[in-house]
């Protein structure tokens, strides 16, 4: 019977292993396997889930408002509403990006940290149900990403 868990490569993992050894789990029954995440190279050009810290919503709102204003006042201007609407859209996108960067910098918001390495921890419990429950509780208490029993 095994208890399998996933940790970020951090001090939490080291503390979990030390606690397991204090709970009389032999070091030979503990196996840690690091997983490296492959780098995709290029980031996504549009990130709808906002994981990189850049929010497209204010940019879209600013672009929509300036496009609308360009279209409305385009009836009065020489080039017409369609061309001024396009100019307003481009200007709104640029203005939205500048405002978004300025707000992030003013608030001190940093990019979301993406962890590059996870560690799978396998603990052999030798068929002991109570030991399996105790190990699973210890791993969960040390903030494992996930814990399962096999």
């Amino acid at each position: 019977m095994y208890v399998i868990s996933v940790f970020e490569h951090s001090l939490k993992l080291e503390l979990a292993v030390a606690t397991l050894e204090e709970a009389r789990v032999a070091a030979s029954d503990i196996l840690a396997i690091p997983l490296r995440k492959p780098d995709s190279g290029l980031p996504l050009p549009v990130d709808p889930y906002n994981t990189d810290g850049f929010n497209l919503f204010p940019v879209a709102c600013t672009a929509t408002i300036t496009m609308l204003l360009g279209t409305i006042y385009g009836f009065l201007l020489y080039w017409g509403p369609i061309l001024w609407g396009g100019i307003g859209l481009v200007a709104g996108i640029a203005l939205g990006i500048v405002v978004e960067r300025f707000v992030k910098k003013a608030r001190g918001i940093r990019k979301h940290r993406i962890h590059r390495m996870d560690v799978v921890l396998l603990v052999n419990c030798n068929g002991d149900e109570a030991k399996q429950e105790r190990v699973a509780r210890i791993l969960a208490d040390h903030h494992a990403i996930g814990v399962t029993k096999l």
Side-chain angles (χ1 to χ4, degrees), residues 43-57 112 114:
L44 293 173
V46 176
D47 188 9
Y49 303 111
N50 193 20
T51 58
D52 63 349
F54 185 74
N55 193 357
L56 288 177
F57 183 71
H112 178 68
I114 300 172

Side-chain angles (χ1 to χ4, degrees), residues 79-145:
W79 288 343
I82 295 175
L83 194 56
W84 281 106
I87 292 170
L89 176 68
V90 172
I93 290 172
L95 180 67
I97 290 173
V98 168
V99 167
E100 177 69 18
R101 298 283 174 151
F102 178 74
V103 167
K104 295 275 188 201
K105 195 173 200 179
R107 289 185 182 172
I109 298 173
R110 296 190 176 118
K111 287 186 176 181
H112 178 68
R113 186 179 68 88
I114 300 172
H115 59 276
R116 297 273 180 213
M117 183 181 288
D118 288 333
V119 177
V120 177
L121 190 68
L122 283 95
V123 180
N124 185 6
C125 293
N126 299 324
D128 187 6
E129 190 73 28
K131 183 178 179 183
Q132 188 179 26
E133 290 295 324
R134 188 174 64 235
V135 167
R137 190 178 66 248
I138 289 171
L139 295 175
D141 288 344
H142 284 87
H143 305 289
I145 295 172

Side-chain angles (χ1 to χ4, degrees), residues 57-69 85 88-94 96:
F57 183 71
V59 175
C61 289
T62 307
T64 302
I65 291 169
T66 55
M67 181 179 66
L68 180 65
L69 291 174
L89 176 68
V90 172
I93 290 172

